[in-house]
Amino acid sequence: MPNLIRRLAVAAFLFAPALFHAAAVRAADERPLVIGGGPVAEVPQFAVALDRKLFDEQGLAVKVVPFASGREGFEALMGGQLDLVLMAEFPAVVGAMRDQKFGIVARLSRYEANRFILKDGATNGGTPATVKDLAGRRIGVTVGTNAHYMVDQELKKAGVTAEIVNVGPPDLIPALVRGDIDAAAPFPSFYAGAKRTLGDRYRELPAGSYATSFVLAASRKLLDGDPVAVQRLLAALLKGEAVVEADPAAAQEAVGRIAGRVLSPEAIAAGWPEYRFRIALEDDLLDLLTSEGGWIRQRGMIKTTEPTRELFRGAIAAEPLRAVAADRVSLR
């Protein structure tokens, strides 16, 4: 059952045009807030707000544009094509270190089921049973991504080293099947495909040292020019979260309606426990951004910027959330 949530992520991307058809635009002559969207299952507060027209209630016109990755959505935000973007936290770390102008206005959820994918009967000593057993093995990962960061954190925690093999996202599982690598660290959207491909030979190791944060970031132009619109957007999302907390079944049904028939109620319910849904800005998010920044600097990906806590605090725009729910902001 745990693999079902990965189907959610893949389907949300593949069927994104239909998924976001439900985005409400209040008036034809009003320029909507343009939001770059990702997998709706990862941020059900957003799905509920669309489904129940909570943005309309706040007097907002909203248009959602799908992107295949958070990195592409963030680039569109920086290019002026979007007002806001939903994404994992890693593109924001890179953006802050490149002195790009934006603000994270909230974290909406955390994904707590990252993992290594293995093939039972692997060569070079058999199938690893723990992360320690990956010592000296060939681990495939897309270098320079949050998945790579996750691998390094897990190996460091286990006190072992391994050979990192740079493999593009769609090629990771084929490389594992061929035996080119002993373990793969793909993005979660590839987990379900890995399970289908490997069948009875599918094995996995949990990676508990890293949880992906899904954040909402806004352009500096919007934050400076119309902060009230950001506040209203967050108020709608908080109402959506109230449904997620009080009536998970109803929230899951809303996700299903927004996502379309490609996602079954069983799939949505099965993946629900792998996430923690809470709109907030907390110190652990700032800790994660700073840690990832240090890792980026250490690897030489960006050499000119010192990844200080103050740098990443400057990439967080807490004022809109503080204005509508001060108790959700706890940043030192």
Side-chain angles (χ1 to χ4, degrees), residues 299-321:
R299 295 197 60 83
M301 296 162 57
I302 299 176
K303 301 179 180 180
T304 58
T305 303
E306 189 66 28
T308 64
R309 190 177 180 86
E310 290 72 24
L311 172 72
F312 296 107
R313 180 62 184 85
I316 297 176
E319 293 75 16
L321 183 57

Side-chain angles (χ1 to χ4, degrees), residues 118-130 133-135 137 182-183 203:
L118 313 169
K119 180 179 68 173
D120 190 31
T123 58
N124 190 26
T127 306
T130 68
D133 296 331
L134 294 174
R137 304 291 188 98
D182 302 301
R203 298 292 183 271

